[in-house]
Amino acid sequence: MKIFDILSLLIFCSGLFIFINTFFLKLPSSIGLMVLALALSLGVLAFSLAFPEYHLAQHVKKYDFSDVMYRFVLSVMLFAAALKIDFRKLGSQLIPVLILSFYGVMISTLVIGGLMFFILDLTGIGISFISCLVFGALISSTDPIAITKTIKQYDLSKKLETKISGESLLNGGIAIVLAFTLVNVQQEAVSHGVLSTWDISLIFLRDIIGGLVVGVLFGWLGFKLLKLVDNHVVEAEVLITLALVMMGSYLGDSLSVSSMMVAVLTGLIIGNYGRSETGESAVGEYVYKFWRLIEETLAAMLFVLIGFEMLVIPLRLDYFALGFFAVIIVIFARWLSVFIPIKLMSMSHTFDKGTISVLSWGAIRGGLPVAFTLSLAPGFEGKEIIVTLTYVVVVCSILYQGLSTATLMKRYEANNARKSKLSST
């Protein structure tokens, strides 16, 4: 199978999944697509067993998704997510959102990485602590599309809604940038042996600061070019943003800095400076609509890839058992990463009752962790176990948390209604 065949199959299945879910299943988008992805997994496995002469599994395994995921999908999705962030709309919630996003990812990464390292060491499936931290960082990324669509269905307070949507948008970018920086640390350790604290600090500084500089440069350049076009030629605006993402990613890799950071910073600058004070798009509303469409299309295609991933991951019972332990650890780490910052910020900021529960349980994992694991080089230490753990956590998160989040939101809504009634009397 060539790349065109793979893309054609992914696009066809994505369109079919969306059609079936819209007109028949009628489930929330992420849940419906995950159910269909699991059905696809079972169907493909059954087909491979019934007709082994077609070698379907070999075709999928033979294709290396890492370049497509790394060079295109992740950069595009991070840019599209960053483009939606409007710091002006966050208002008084800006500081809590930034603290929750940054420190939340750091706490979650350390807790998940540390506990998984301990458990894997006990079971004899030992991988390095850095590889465990890579898993901790990538799985800390939540799905902003699923979360945003869910909260819009319920009558949440404006402050809580702003916190949830803002944190979910920033969270993914921070988690993926951190995960890729940790991958670079791991690769340097493999090449040069044991790294000192100073060596690791230099890698972080090179990746993050270098990505920051290139991202600001591309963001500023993009804004100036888009302002020059000034909504006169829609296709020119769209092509400029596409070129910025592709060239920013290429330049970031060429300079050995974080190309993911470049994508995030470019999106943030264009997304904020490209809007007028009234909230209307000074850059051009079609640019934002185009990238929103691209993000949701790629998210749907990633669910199809989850279905095919059953053919890629090793079907080892011990790996899957560890995956269910990972589900519990990820949920606990998310709660802790929300609980600690909120408790510390409570001295200077007010938080609605139930904020910790809603932020913790509503953090559904989606396509970004899957895309990240598929972007890892074939020789990366612990790739097989990381891919399996990610698969199990994402599936359980979407089905279990996704289906039960509605109950939590309804309870929160009922408590708010009760409070309003009591205050009015």
Side-chain angles (χ1 to χ4, degrees), residues 6-26:
I6 293 285
L7 287 173
S8 299
L9 183 61
L10 288 176
I11 292 168
F12 170 76
C13 290
S14 302
L16 183 64
F17 279 17
I18 291 170
F19 176 81
I20 293 171
N21 186 54
T22 302
F23 291 99
F24 297 102
L25 298 182
K26 297 180 180 179

Side-chain angles (χ1 to χ4, degrees), residues 353 413-425:
K353 188 178 180 182
E413 206 174 37
N415 287 337
N416 270 359
R418 199 179 302 118
K419 279 184 187 177
S420 300
K421 191 174 180 181
L422 287 172
S423 60
S424 62
T425 55

Side-chain angles (χ1 to χ4, degrees), residues 37 44 57 99 161 202 242 254 266 273 322 334 340-341 370 376 420:
V44 168
I99 291 173
E161 188 176 324
L202 284 178
L242 270 172
S254 300
T266 305
Y273 286 98
L322 285 166
R334 173 63 183 182
I340 293 173
V370 173
L376 290 172
S420 300

Side-chain angles (χ1 to χ4, degrees), residues 94-158:
L94 176 60
I95 300 301
V97 164
L98 289 174
I99 291 173
L100 274 169
S101 303
F102 181 78
Y103 289 103
V105 167
M106 298 302 160
I107 294 167
S108 177
T109 299
L110 287 171
V111 172
I112 296 169
L115 290 176
M116 287 310 301
F117 178 73
F118 176 73
I119 290 174
L120 289 171
D121 190 51
L122 280 179
T123 57
I125 311 172
I127 61 174
S128 69
F129 183 57
I130 294 293
S131 292
C132 290
L133 286 177
V134 169
F135 171 69
L138 73 91
I139 207 64
S140 297
S141 168
T142 56
D143 184 359
I145 298 174
I147 294 168
T148 305
K149 285 184 177 179
T150 301
I151 61 175
K152 283 182 179 178
Q153 300 172 22
Y154 301 97
D155 184 23
L156 305 180
S157 72
K158 189 65 180 174

